[in-house]
Amino acid sequence: EMKAAFAPRGWRVLLAVPFDDDSWDYAAYSHIVDFMILMAYDEHWEEGTSGSIASQGWFERLLDARMKDLDPRHTIIALGNYGYDWVGAKPADDLTFQDAARLAHTTDAEIDFDPDAENPHFTYKGADGAAHDVWFLDAVSAFNEIHASDIYQPVGYALWRLGSEDPSVWSVMGRPYGAPAPDGLKTIPSSQEVYFENQGEILHIAAEPSEGQRVMEFDPQTGDIVDENYTVLPSSFVIQRFGLAKKKLALTFDDGPDPTYTPQILDILKEKNVRATFFIVGENAGAYPDIVQREYDDGHDIGNHTFTHPNVVELPLGLAKLEINATRRLFEAITGHSMRLFRAPYLGDSDPTTYDELEPVAVAQKMGFVTVGLRIDPDDWLRPPAQTIIDRILRQVADKDPDNAGNVILLHDAGGDRSETVKALPKLIDALRAAGYELVPVSELAGLTREEAMPTLPPAMFEPLVNRSVFYTLGYSGHLLQAMFIGAIWLGLARVAFLSGLGLVHRWREWRRVKPAIGGAYPEVSVIIPAHNEAKVIAKSIERILASNYPDLEVIVVDDGSSDGTSPVVAGRFGNLPNVKLITTTNGGKASAINLGLAQAKGELIVALDADTLFEADTIGNLARWFEDPKVGAVAGNAKVGNRINTVTRWQALEYISAQNLERRALVTLGCITVVPGAVGAWRREALERVGCFPVNTLAEDQDLTIAVQKAGYRVVFDGEAVAWTEAPDTVQGLVAQRFRWAYGTLQCLWKHRGVTFRPRYGTLGLIAIPQVWLFQVALAIMAPLVDFMLVWQILRTGLDYLQHQSQFNPDSMMITLSYFLAFMATDFAAVALAFIIERNENWRLMLWLGLQRFCYRQILYYVVVKSTATALLGPFVGWGKLDRKATVTLPPLAE
């Protein structure tokens, strides 16, 4: 029926049949099924008398009988590879090949290759003195059976049973019919079996896997193996367990120390007079050495839990040793004591059964450590409620099954939110004591004194002192980086709040107040344009000034040693205009050129602008109207990027709107603007002459002059409607050059006017404006890269943690970092949006570039500030760094 049902689906029917049972109609079955599997073993079986499992004569006799009825093309011969251990009349115990080899090794029995049966065999006496008779099948017996069967050329061979076999049998299987014995039979690979001796959660590897060796004797006529001798028996892992103690329990805490939860746990243990065991992670211990010292001083055991909590078996041997040794060295540096207790991350219990679980134990043992396992695990790392933690522990402690009984309780004092563990601990201690249990450190279960578990280092050792300086430096550096990260975040948020809040106040005031109007005669305005190699842009700049709706203007162009024909362009285009004057001089810098023009200017008000800047028609009038107030010494205009032609210039356009102009709005609200931009600003001539005109000893002459004018008692205001469009650098190289000059010049100004800082006599200029430049433009810019660095580092670290921890992965650190960063980004985005609302008539599509600006453009600015700060500290002279003009400014509306 099965055959009929399987056939339409193309499925095969294989039938396993006994080898020695004449009641079976082998021929009839073979005509029905696709393959017959002959189970060629159990000549003697568990319930019978002792003897060979498949003697060669028995095997060959029955094989001949079976093959008379069977088609070899549809016959599979299953070979045995296991053993039986008979003692008296009792049923035999099943043995794997590894069991048989271990028994022979531990009892010093000699394995005999029985000449009649051609099966291996030995006898031994058990612990009770009873005689044991062991027969088993190995790779040699399998070869002889295959060698005898190959004359029939069966379709294949099978093995009974997987996991119990002699590993060298695989050198015999799958070879051509009639092949001679392979050399692979000489070496017996080690086994993955693990054997345990005794009970307890303290682990010691008594034997490790090793290869076995055999020599063989062959019949020269037949090629059969007629004798074998095990010269070296293969071995498996043998684990000795100890530490089982009635009514004694050890509380152990993994993954610490943690600055929040470990001290709370230590307080509870001290109050309850309990000595526990802490398995510390080195990187946490290095960050909080005082907590580790307290753990030791409070009388607790301290063990090694590696340095970064990796899965040790996945590491190269050298790195695994480094993980363990680094934590030991750190502990020695902190306490002056060494450590012997070890628990590998992910060692789930006291019965490690795979090579992966045992490899860390072997590595640590060779380094002198004693491995501590566990049996009682409430899975507190999953953060169950405190009562659940207590109930799970009490239930496991009361388990009467010897395979589950344990003395070591696993808890965690770090690696996430451990508040429920802390909450459970007092009640757990009381409940265990009420049940009659004594709480002891692991060293007591291991039979070690406290001094043996944490030996004192020789007093003359120099190495711990060196280690202490190294580890403490690393630990405190980590704290410093974290503090700077948090500091940068808060400074960034403070800056956004500062600028946005005051920007809104300014916008509200601007909306409510009536702007001053120029009454009567217009004060004469002299527009001074310093020009050095500005032939491409100078004519257009002058045309825009002359197109102004301000009635009384004088334009003075100072050619500051140009070599590109700037003067001929000015003379050729405007030489016949009486209100345009050209002055030619040798190159002396921007400030010197402006001062030269100022000496010949007739105007009461001075407008100085860069040659690449294009004024709107009402810009000069909007600047001039504020000077009706005699206390106003300067007016800052609204500079905008006019060449929004690529990514670099769009980033700058966004910055001008969201940072520079918003900052001026904020500071004018407090009456303390720090920069009247060189691109668009107006000055009272009287104020300039009073402070000595434009300064020539700083690179940021506009900022220097702005501060000086306010120090002289004048007010500086901002007019958002006095718009000028300037040409921004359109390459990264040009941008870096420009911003380096600005940043270096700012540092020069801050140092030059350091006497203003925090001086009440200068009002908000000294108490707010100058300090905020130090804080936001210098300190924040230096620290801000740490925000991005820490985010990237935390992402990489979190990825590594996930690969290492898998199911126990704790994303808390990453989530905290992301929360800070996202809060910073959201606030920053809101501030930019506010700047666009305040600015009005701006292209909101620029905000699409905000993400790239945050992660790319600002890194350039951070680099510039750091470089300029380093340059200022080193003290070399820095020139003005004139930029190449490309005449790419266009007047609004701007096409994107």
Side-chain angles (χ1 to χ4, degrees), residues 578-808:
N579 61 337
V580 177
K581 182 183 296 185
L582 172 64
I583 301 174
T584 302
T585 184
T586 57
N587 181 251
K590 179 181 177 181
S592 176
I594 296 176
N595 288 335
L596 184 60
L598 180 62
Q600 299 190 33
K602 296 181 293 185
E604 175 186 339
L605 306 180
I606 304 298
V607 174
L609 70 149
D610 297 331
D612 64 319
T613 304
L614 303 181
F615 273 22
E616 292 190 353
D618 57 357
T619 295
I620 294 178
N622 288 333
L623 292 172
R625 59 185 172 179
W626 297 95
F627 289 96
E628 277 203 341
D629 182 350
K631 294 182 180 180
V632 173
V635 180
N638 190 346
K640 295 175 178 287
V641 173
N643 59 328
R644 305 176 187 187
I645 57 176
N646 62 18
T647 301
V648 174
T649 55
R650 289 187 178 99
W651 282 342
Q652 292 172 82
L654 188 57
E655 180 201 8
Y656 272 56
I657 298 165
S658 63
Q660 295 186 23
N661 286 330
L662 183 61
E663 180 179 352
R664 291 190 185 97
R665 291 179 184 276
L667 292 177
V668 76
T669 305
L670 299 174
C672 54
I673 286 180
T674 56
V675 183
V676 173
V680 54
W683 308 86
R684 187 181 296 277
R685 184 190 188 98
E686 170 193 302
L688 293 177
E689 292 173 345
R690 184 172 175 182
V691 299
C693 301
F694 277 75
V696 295
N697 55 358
T698 61
L699 294 181
E701 68 285 330
D702 45 7
Q703 184 175 34
D704 190 350
L705 183 59
T706 304
I707 296 173
V709 165
Q710 291 176 93
K711 286 172 65 178
Y714 291 96
R715 289 176 55 219
V716 177
V717 299
F718 169 73
D719 192 316
E721 296 176 357
V723 177
W725 300 88
T726 187
E727 182 175 273
D730 59 2
T731 66
V732 172
Q733 182 179 4
L735 174 66
V736 169
Q738 181 197 66
R739 295 312 172 90
F740 176 74
R741 179 171 61 84
W742 288 7
Y744 189 86
T746 296
L747 291 172
Q748 289 178 313
C749 291
L750 292 174
W751 184 249
K752 179 178 179 180
H753 298 286
R754 60 189 181 278
V756 174
T757 309
F758 296 123
R759 296 287 295 275
R761 63 175 289 192
Y762 295 108
T764 54
L765 178 68
L767 297 177
I768 297 177
I770 299 299
Q772 71 88 29
V773 175
W774 278 112
L775 194 62
F776 294 145
Q777 294 184 29
V778 180
L780 178 58
I782 292 173
M783 294 170 60
L786 287 174
V787 176
D788 301 330
F789 170 78
M790 289 292 286
L791 178 67
V792 173
W793 170 251
Q794 195 62 257
I795 291 172
L796 294 175
R797 181 63 186 275
T798 301
L800 182 61
D801 284 348
Y802 177 76
L803 293 175
Q804 291 178 341
H805 298 166
Q806 297 293 326
S807 61
Q808 297 188 34

